[in-house]
Amino acid sequence: MILTRADTLTFDPRGQLSRVFVEGFYEWVKPFHKDKEILVQIFTHVFCPEYFYVALDGETVCAMAACTQGYSPIVLKREEFIKVLGFLRGNLMYFSLKRHIVRNEYPFTLSKNTGTIEFVATEESHRNQGLAHKLLTHLIEQTPYDAYVLEVADLNKNALKLYTKLGFKEMKRIKAAKNSGTDYFIYMRKS
């Protein structure tokens, strides 16, 4: 297994990042489209490889995580959503994602030495093997921050267990909107 930053690869990893993302976050993206292949096609353009760390099995991305300094590691292109979904559904998905993912601000002030970890996902066939733990440990070792924060849904028990094992501690809990698929969003910090 190789752990590296996605922009160092000799191939464009965005299609594979999209596949891992759709598998990992399917419950949150399926209201836009039930077909996983269509969702993979829709999301391929969004990933900025310079912010993503990946675990590779050969040349296959099997886990991913992004780290930035509080800004989004993805860029949404409205025309790409419209091209795949049509004008109405494409715009609906674009504006919804822009509001909820790209402009997702933390409910506290981030210091300049704090990294934000996002989009942690593992391909289904590689889950429960400690891969996300290894990848996040690598990410933390390779990035220059003194502290890290992340957001996790309270119902995502596996992620909560992983982050706690890595030394993250809950710092804030916010009630989620109705029909969001979770009860609370938990903000965790590791110094």
Side-chain angles (χ1 to χ4, degrees), residues 140-180:
I140 290 168
E141 289 171 354
Q142 298 299 312
T143 53
Y145 306 111
D146 297 330
Y148 296 85
V149 294
L150 54 80
E151 174 191 87
V152 61
D154 68 325
L155 300 178
N156 192 342
K157 301 298 182 194
N158 288 337
L160 283 166
K161 185 177 171 183
L162 167 67
Y163 301 143
T164 301
K165 190 174 179 180
L166 284 164
F168 283 86
K169 296 188 182 342
E170 182 176 335
M171 59 183 290
K172 192 170 191 90
R173 186 177 286 240
I174 304 265
K175 182 85 172 135
K178 284 186 177 184
N179 302 323
S180 66

Side-chain angles (χ1 to χ4, degrees), residues 131-144:
L131 194 52
H133 187 281
K134 289 175 189 169
L135 181 60
L136 288 173
T137 299
H138 176 76
L139 180 154
I140 290 168
E141 289 171 354
Q142 298 299 312
T143 53

Side-chain angles (χ1 to χ4, degrees), residues 111-123:
S111 73
K112 66 179 180 175
N113 294 325
T114 300
T116 54
I117 296 176
E118 301 180 67
F119 300 105
V120 179
T122 304
E123 181 187 46

Side-chain angles (χ1 to χ4, degrees), residues 28 100 108 113 149 170 181 186 189:
W28 284 274
H100 293 292
F108 46 84
N113 294 325
V149 294
E170 182 176 335
I186 298 172
R189 177 182 174 90

Side-chain angles (χ1 to χ4, degrees), residues 14-15 18-19 21-23 26 29-47 80-86 89-90 93 97:
R14 292 177 300 165
S18 184
R19 186 167 306 286
F21 171 80
V22 168
E23 278 188 28
Y26 184 66
V29 297
K30 77 178 179 184
F32 297 110
H33 208 286
K34 303 280 187 250
D35 187 328
K36 287 184 179 181
E37 290 305 314
I38 299 279
L39 289 168
V40 168
Q41 183 182 353
I42 291 168
F43 284 106
T44 293
H45 80 277
V46 307
F47 300 97
E80 294 293 327
F81 290 97
I82 292 170
K83 183 169 63 176
V84 177
L85 294 174
R89 287 182 74 193
M93 186 174 188
L97 291 171

Side-chain angles (χ1 to χ4, degrees), residues 2-14 17 47-56 58-59 61 63 65 135 138 142-143:
I2 297 170
L3 307 173
T4 190
R5 209 170 69 197
D7 65 342
T8 66
L9 299 172
T10 58
F11 60 90
D12 184 351
R14 292 177 300 165
L17 288 170
F47 300 97
C48 301
E50 64 270 23
Y51 303 124
F52 281 85
Y53 286 77
V54 296
L56 293 173
E59 288 198 352
V61 174
L135 181 60
H138 176 76
Q142 298 299 312
T143 53

